[in-house]
Amino acid sequence: MGAFIDMTGFVYGRLTVVSLVQKASRKLKQETKWSCLCDCGNLSTYKAGNLRSGNSTSCEFCRWEGNTTHGHTKLSSNSATYFSWQGMKDRCTNN
C-alpha cells in the first residue's frame, strides 16, 4: 500500500469527497472508503480506487436518471422485453 492520500474536497464527476469512512488495512484486507456527496444531494460511500479510476462518478440514483433504453441490442429487438419497452415508449411519446 502506498502513502495515505487525503481525498477530502476532491471532485470526481458529480461526487465531492466529504470525509473518510474507513482507512485501508492490510491485516483486515480492507480498502479505503470515502463518504461522497453527489450533486443531487445524495450521500454515499465509495472505495477510493473506484473514485480514482473513474468507475464511480455519480450516485446510483443519478446513474439511472435519463436512462431511457431497453437494454437490448438491435440483434435481439424481437424479444418480448423489447416489444414491451417499445409500447411503453410509444404511449409516453404518443407515437
Side-chain angles (χ1 to χ4, degrees), residues 24-35:
S25 168
R26 250 188 217 172
K27 184 177 180 181
L28 300 174
K29 298 181 181 179
Q30 294 176 335
E31 296 182 46
T32 302
K33 294 182 181 177
W34 294 91
S35 179

Side-chain angles (χ1 to χ4, degrees), residues 72 76-86:
H72 290 255
S76 65
S77 63
N78 294 328
S79 70
T81 304
Y82 175 81
F83 286 123
S84 176
W85 174 82
Q86 186 65 48

Side-chain angles (χ1 to χ4, degrees), residues 1 4-6 11 16 19 24 33 44-45 53 59 62 65 75-76:
M1 265 183 246
F4 176 77
I5 299 171
D6 184 5
V11 177
T16 303
S19 63
K33 294 182 181 177
S44 300
T45 302
S53 69
C59 70
C62 291
E65 180 181 282
L75 297 175
S76 65

